[in-house]
Amino acid sequence: MPAFLEACLEVMADILNPSSPTDASEPLFSFGVIADIQYADLEDGYNYQRSRRRYYRHSLTHLQGAIEDWNKESSMPCCVLQLGDIIDGYNAQYKVSEKSLEVVMNTFQMLKVPVHHTWGNHEFYNFSRDYLANSKLNSKSLQDQILQHPETTPSEDYYAYHFVPFPKFRFILLDSYDLSVLGIDQSSPKYEQCMKMLREHNPNVELNSPQGLSEPQYVQFNGGFSQEQLNWLDKVLTFSDTNQEKVVIVSHIPIYPDASPDTVCLAWNYMDALSIIWSHKCVVCFLAGHTHDGGYSEDPFGVHHVNLEGVIETAPDSQAFGTVHVYPDKMLLKGRGRVPDRIMNYKREQAFLEACLEVMADILNPSSPTDASEPLFSFGVIADIQYADLEDGYNYQRSRRRYYRHSLTHLQGAIEDWNKESSMPCCVLQLGDIIDGYNAQYKVSEKSLEVVMNTFQMLKVPVHHTWGNHEFYNFSRDYLANSKLNSKSLQDQILQHPETTPSEDYYAYHFVPFPKFRFILLDSYDLSVLGIDQSSPKYEQCMKMLREHNPNVELNSPQGLSEPQYVQFNGGFSQEQLNWLDKVLTFSDTNQEKVVIVSHIPIYPDASPDTVCLAWNYMDALSIIWSHKCVVCFLAGHTHDGGYSEDPFGVHHVNLEGVIETAPDSQAFGTVHVYPDKMLLKGRGRVPDRIMNYKREEALCF
């Protein structure tokens, strides 16, 4: 290693961690994370809305796989954080709660490191608080006690504690059901206090329903933090501030709205917790479960909020756990299966670190047009802008806020960022739903589209547009084909291979952003009842297909469906389009190209937060993709929650978080940097960073 580089690393270690000189190439320590196992010895089922499959029995197999992985890691985790809901509430119904808990705890016995357990709603569906306090799920015996500071010792009235996994790092486990009507004696004063609080915010007969609530987190399956616990947290954080520690906080329920897929799955008094955390400089990360969908956001004070994807809704051929590698300047979450990789830099002292890293990169990676220190090319991605000149509203279930007017501000911010990037994107992929369907209701569709397209004019690079359901709520297919949303003029034509030229019967095309890379835009509403003449044969064909799979009066409802993707707001791919896709991929295989496919609707269930937001005939598309070796990534929007999974054939499926449900103080877009051996998604706001290595021995030779 060059002498200057060694000096640079020493200076970095001294600044970022004065008491511990460390080589930045190796983590200081690592720890495992897993959430919402919800084991039960039952056949697969569904969530309450029947929109997501739950794998009750297989969740144990996922846990076994996670433990095997942690046990053989080269950088062995010092511990594992189990983020709550270890067994499912169904166990209580069948009177097998203790038996199921024993099965899971026996499985954890195979792990070579200690486990810190948090408690979630499903713990309280199965057991009383008193039972849990005397069970193996009480891991307070692992806590750290600061004898000189007795104020940092938690009360026995709530289940919370802190410990030190490594010098200058403190982990705090919180009790997010300290205020709750679950798991406590209904004749107790605390139950009465909590029920009163819940009733004041939720007048519904069904207390698990957020219908009509201005604060939808006030439902029975959530809980909150008592003032006593918050006072204790404040004292521990004060100690950590004074001692220059970095703090990771752990809870079952999330507390930061932008990191949650909806506004329901939040602690009752999440703002009280945030206020305390934000009054201290030591907190770097807040880990939670509960949502099952996962989520991420960095708040304005530099705290990384990570909601881990739930094991219970993870298909047998995937996974849902991670290992966090802790460095002096950052934490790197290496996810498995549905859990994405995340790069979480610590706040403050970043300017020096970035400058030092640039010098290191220059030394280790001398400039070369094809060297891995610089991407071959980059491109921007953004999804579900859904602009409308309206006040904020909510989605259909009133569980997620929608920022109709502010979505334009987010787009403007994204464009400003892309325009000033040092590695300028060669293009931007707009993944559909550019304006909201409400525009049609108010007869301002063309006006709103013009506003957004004028904003895109500020961008210095071309934009490739896909079409989503909201395009068809506003316009007919014929209108779109003649509008600025038709970007087929940017397509590549392979004159020697006319079979790769798409038909005009669907909106799809391909182009080459860089030698040996081909991008394909698909029309996921080629089969659809939206945007076409209702007297046409194609409408009749598509309506017949929809009705065969969905007998509901309300065709946007998946209620009771065995294939819940067959709803009106989705669509599919015609056989003609699939045949064309097959021919383009055959050409790319032959020419040793790497292919990125773009669509509004996702096609891979494990990458989607639910089983509803999928193309009707997604398996037909997957079958073709999997029969070729060239496809490395499939990009989609539509879900708003975002999602990620690498399929068994090494294709990275990325569903981008939607702009429309992104709060004004956050963002939702990204830039993908393409290298010979991988793609790196640098997300902004709600969009997480992702590291996507190519399958097989994929490094390109340039």
Side-chain angles (χ1 to χ4, degrees):
M1 183 182 289
F4 180 80
L5 177 57
E6 290 181 342
C8 194
L9 285 170
E10 286 177 10
V11 171
M12 287 169 62
D14 287 342
I15 288 178
L16 293 167
N17 202 356
S19 63
S20 177
T22 358
D23 186 344
S25 64
E26 289 295 319
L28 303 173
F29 68 101
S30 303
F31 62 94
V33 283
I34 195 165
D36 300 274
I37 300 167
Q38 290 183 223
Y39 167 72
D41 188 13
L42 296 172
E43 296 298 317
D44 297 347
Y46 287 90
N47 66 341
Y48 180 74
Q49 297 86 1
R50 293 194 61 79
S51 60
R52 304 178 198 148
R53 197 169 186 86
R54 293 190 169 177
Y55 304 90
Y56 297 106
R57 190 173 287 131
H58 200 88
S59 65
L60 192 69
T61 309
H62 282 318
L63 174 60
Q64 291 164 345
I67 290 171
E68 288 172 14
D69 200 286
W70 284 320
N71 280 341
K72 66 185 182 185
E73 283 202 47
S74 56
S75 175
M76 173 75 78
C78 67
C79 64
V80 166
L81 304 178
Q82 188 276 110
L83 304 181
D85 284 5
I86 199 168
I87 64 172
D88 195 85
Y90 270 127
N91 290 289
Q93 184 177 322
Y94 292 101
K95 296 180 170 48
V96 290
S97 299
E98 290 186 332
K99 180 181 177 182
S100 290
L101 179 59
E102 184 179 6
V103 168
V104 180
M105 296 307 283
N106 285 343
T107 303
F108 267 117
Q109 287 295 315
M110 299 188 297
L111 188 63
K112 297 176 182 177
V113 299
V115 183
H116 296 266
H117 298 284
T118 57
W119 298 348
N121 46 312
H122 283 262
E123 274 76 18
F124 294 111
Y125 296 156
N126 284 282
F127 306 110
S128 70
R129 181 170 282 271
D130 289 341
Y131 181 99
L132 290 170
N134 293 289
S135 75
K136 293 178 181 178
L137 285 179
N138 183 342
S139 49
K140 284 181 79 169
S141 61
L142 301 171
Q143 71 182 318
D144 175 53
Q145 290 189 322
I146 310 169
L147 298 178
Q148 307 91 323
H149 292 271
E151 74 278 7
T152 64
T153 300
S155 163
E156 292 300 317
D157 293 336
Y158 48 86
Y159 174 66
Y161 66 92
H162 56 88
F163 67 98
V164 176
F166 190 89
K168 294 297 181 182
F169 286 85
R170 189 169 300 277
F171 284 22
I172 301 174
L173 274 72
L174 294 183
D175 183 349
S176 53
Y177 288 87
D178 182 11
L179 298 179
S180 170
V181 296
L182 303 177
I184 56 174
D185 184 352
Q186 294 188 15
S187 64
S188 67
K190 188 161 186 180
Y191 178 87
E192 291 178 9
Q193 169 203 351
C194 294
M195 181 57 78
K196 181 173 181 287
M197 179 186 297
L198 181 58
R199 282 286 184 205
E200 285 172 354
H201 294 85
N202 185 341
N204 294 332
V205 175
E206 172 50 72
L207 286 172
N208 276 322
S209 170
Q211 190 68 33
L213 304 186
S214 60
E215 295 177 283
Q217 77 271 19
Y218 277 95
V219 287
Q220 188 168 276
F221 60 79
N222 291 333
F225 311 100
S226 69
Q227 190 59 52
E228 183 186 13
Q229 184 182 182
L230 292 173
N231 292 343
W232 166 79
L233 173 63
D234 188 46
K235 290 168 185 171
V236 178
L237 296 181
T238 298
F239 176 87
S240 291
D241 279 345
T242 304
N243 287 273
Q244 297 182 306
E245 296 177 331
K246 297 209 183 308
V247 172
V248 173
I249 299 180
V250 184
S251 162
H252 180 66
I253 309 180
I255 63 167
Y256 191 56
D258 281 7
S260 187
D262 58 52
T263 54
V264 176
C265 289
L266 289 166
W268 287 353
N269 56 336
Y270 67 86
M271 273 309 304
D272 293 340
L274 282 172
S275 297
I276 288 174
I277 290 168
W278 289 346
S279 69
H280 295 274
K281 63 183 180 182
C282 55
V283 183
V284 295
C285 183
F286 191 102
L287 293 165
H290 197 47
T291 68
H292 297 188
D293 296 339
Y296 168 82
S297 185
E298 181 180 356
D299 70 29
F301 293 82
V303 180
H304 299 274
H305 295 261
V306 179
N307 303 341
L308 211 71
E309 287 72 7
V311 171
I312 184 63
E313 290 176 6
T314 300
D317 61 354
S318 187
Q319 253 298 5
F321 70 98
T323 304
V324 180
H325 302 290
V326 182
Y327 294 81
D329 60 315
K330 62 181 172 288
M331 296 193 299
L332 300 182
L333 167 58
K334 179 59 183 172
R336 296 354 181 261
R338 294 173 62 213
V339 177
D341 298 330
R342 299 189 191 278
I343 305 166
M344 297 175 281
N345 295 304
Y346 305 145
K347 58 195 174 184
R348 306 180 179 85
E349 298 181 325
Q350 289 299 305
F352 173 84
L353 175 62
E354 289 170 4
C356 199
L357 287 173
E358 284 177 11
V359 173
M360 290 168 60
D362 289 341
I363 292 171
L364 293 171
N365 299 303
S367 60
S368 159
T370 58
D371 192 87
S373 64
E374 288 295 321
L376 303 172
F377 68 101
S378 303
F379 62 94
V381 284
I382 194 166
D384 299 274
I385 300 166
Q386 289 183 221
Y387 168 72
D389 187 13
L390 296 172
E391 297 298 319
D392 297 347
Y394 287 89
N395 65 341
Y396 180 74
Q397 297 85 1
R398 291 194 61 79
S399 59
R400 303 179 199 151
R401 197 169 186 84
R402 292 191 169 177
Y403 304 90
Y404 297 107
R405 191 174 286 130
H406 200 88
S407 65
L408 191 69
T409 309
H410 282 318
L411 174 60
Q412 291 164 344
I415 290 170
E416 288 173 13
D417 200 286
W418 285 320
N419 281 341
K420 66 185 180 185
E421 284 203 46
S422 56
S423 176
M424 172 74 77
C426 66
C427 64
V428 166
L429 304 178
Q430 187 277 110
L431 303 181
D433 284 3
I434 197 168
I435 64 171
D436 195 85
Y438 270 127
N439 289 289
Q441 184 177 322
Y442 293 102
K443 296 181 170 50
V444 290
S445 300
E446 290 186 334
K447 179 182 177 182
S448 290
L449 180 59
E450 184 180 7
V451 169
V452 180
M453 296 307 283
N454 286 343
T455 303
F456 267 116
Q457 288 295 314
M458 298 187 298
L459 188 63
K460 297 176 182 177
V461 298
V463 184
H464 296 266
H465 298 283
T466 57
W467 297 349
N469 46 311
H470 283 263
E471 274 76 20
F472 295 111
Y473 296 156
N474 284 283
F475 306 110
S476 69
R477 181 170 285 271
D478 288 341
Y479 181 98
L480 290 170
N482 294 290
S483 75
K484 293 178 181 178
L485 286 178
N486 183 343
S487 49
K488 284 181 78 170
S489 62
L490 300 172
Q491 71 181 318
D492 175 53
Q493 291 188 321
I494 310 169
L495 298 179
Q496 305 92 323
H497 292 271
E499 73 278 7
T500 65
T501 301
S503 163
E504 292 301 317
D505 292 336
Y506 48 85
Y507 174 66
Y509 66 92
H510 56 89
F511 68 99
V512 176
F514 189 89
K516 294 297 182 181
F517 287 84
R518 189 170 300 277
F519 284 22
I520 301 174
L521 274 72
L522 294 183
D523 182 349
S524 52
Y525 289 87
D526 183 11
L527 298 180
S528 170
V529 295
L530 303 176
I532 55 174
D533 185 350
Q534 295 189 15
S535 65
S536 67
K538 187 162 187 180
Y539 178 87
E540 292 178 10
Q541 169 204 350
C542 294
M543 182 56 80
K544 181 173 182 287
M545 179 185 298
L546 182 57
R547 281 288 182 203
E548 285 172 353
H549 293 86
N550 186 341
N552 294 332
V553 174
E554 173 48 73
L555 285 172
N556 276 323
S557 170
Q559 189 67 34
L561 304 187
S562 59
E563 296 177 283
Q565 77 271 19
Y566 277 95
V567 287
Q568 188 168 277
F569 59 79
N570 290 334
F573 311 100
S574 69
Q575 191 58 51
E576 182 185 14
Q577 184 181 183
L578 292 172
N579 292 343
W580 167 78
L581 173 63
D582 188 46
K583 290 168 184 172
V584 178
L585 295 182
T586 299
F587 176 87
S588 290
D589 279 345
T590 304
N591 287 273
Q592 297 183 304
E593 295 177 332
K594 300 227 175 301
V595 173
V596 173
I597 299 179
V598 183
S599 161
H600 180 66
I601 309 181
I603 63 167
Y604 191 55
D606 282 7
S608 187
D610 58 52
T611 54
V612 176
C613 288
L614 290 166
W616 287 353
N617 56 338
Y618 66 86
M619 272 309 306
D620 294 339
L622 283 172
S623 297
I624 288 173
I625 290 169
W626 288 345
S627 69
H628 295 273
K629 64 184 180 182
C630 55
V631 183
V632 295
C633 184
F634 192 102
L635 292 165
H638 197 47
T639 68
H640 297 188
D641 296 339
Y644 167 81
S645 184
E646 182 180 355
D647 70 30
F649 293 83
V651 180
H652 299 273
H653 295 261
V654 179
N655 303 342
L656 212 70
E657 287 72 5
V659 171
I660 183 62
E661 290 176 7
T662 300
D665 61 353
S666 186
Q667 252 298 5
F669 70 98
T671 304
V672 180
H673 302 291
V674 182
Y675 294 81
D677 61 324
K678 61 182 172 289
M679 296 192 299
L680 301 182
L681 167 56
K682 180 59 185 173
R684 299 348 185 264
R686 293 174 61 212
V687 176
D689 298 329
R690 300 190 190 278
I691 305 165
M692 297 175 281
N693 295 304
Y694 305 144
K695 58 192 175 184
R696 307 181 186 93
E697 299 164 343
E698 290 291 6
L700 292 175
C701 298
F702 287 91

